[in-house]
Amino acid sequence: MSGCFRIAAPAKLNLGLEIVGKRADGYHDLVTILQTIAPPDDDLELAAATDVRLRIDDPELGGPDNLALQALHRLRTDARITTGAALRLTKRIPIAAGLGGASSDAASALLAARALWNLDTPDARLAAIAGRLGSDVPFFLIGGAALAEGRGTELTPLPSPPVVFVVVAPHATIPRKTPTLYAALDSADYSSGAAVREQAARLCAGNSLDPTLLVNAFARPLYALRPDLAEIPAIMRRAGAMHPAISGAGPAHVAPFIDPERAKWVATTLRAAVGHVARIFVAHPAPGAQPRRIR
Ligand code: C5P
């Protein structure tokens, strides 16, 4: 048994997120634009092994519920094989920040394992496995920019906007963040999806991002749960990031910039102001993950 693949799992941003309503299956219908970015990305190395195992640099994330580990088990079961894989995972994407790290790791694990195990699993079948792992996982199989609808798994690729992003990821831990914030939504937080669809139409027509359309349905419940986080948009504006928005269910915030130099300057100003309570970086739109053989 031999072979080893390496893959860089990118973070994502939500460029607007509207919740349209609650579904009969307990999930919510949403309309959002997803964009893979770099930096940061997680580093995955997958080598042939007799069983499925994970070595990760953050011991708190190394349990059996790790989504990348689950992805390997699901694909192995689906393909009816007994070959294993040893996954080495180095985390660089802030954890549970709204930047999609766990979902991206899972999608990258699926892509790398399909290559390592030499499977002929079609993309659509891989996407179905990804959708069972989590609503954001199918997007990371393609990456780039996409309009996501339904539970988040109905994807329409879009051109990436010609901007860079200043991202502020506060060191804030919110227990069971995603289910808690979905459960905290009320019908006043719902909207038609028109703002995000208008943004998607702009990108399709080759126009740049309209920052006034970066709405996020989680703003009210997030700031109600954690009033300290409600200060972030004002702090970002004071530093020169005029259109801050939440990514995912937060707590990361993002602001787009046409001029990369200006973005760097604003990031430096923000690091001086809140660098002790948040990670701040400048990110570019990036393509989706691609496994490459290293041995
Ligand atoms: O799909 P995923 O496992 O990431 O979702 C985690 C939780 O977030 C779900 O159990 C559900 O409570 C909520 N969710 C939702 N509607 C979505 C996506 C997630 O209600 N479209």
Side-chain angles (χ1 to χ4, degrees), residues 218-284:
F218 290 108
R220 188 203 55 80
L222 178 69
Y223 300 147
L225 186 70
R226 286 289 302 264
D228 55 320
L229 298 175
E231 291 172 31
I232 294 175
I235 292 167
M236 290 178 74
R237 276 190 210 98
R238 276 204 294 281
M242 297 323 287
H243 297 283
I246 297 166
S247 180
H253 285 58
V254 53
F257 286 83
I258 301 283
D259 177 5
E261 290 307 313
R262 168 110 184 118
K264 266 193 232 164
W265 186 84
V266 169
T268 304
T269 309
L270 278 166
R271 266 182 221 115
V274 289
H276 56 299
V277 286
R279 216 169 112 190
I280 293 132
F281 49 87
V282 177
H284 297 253

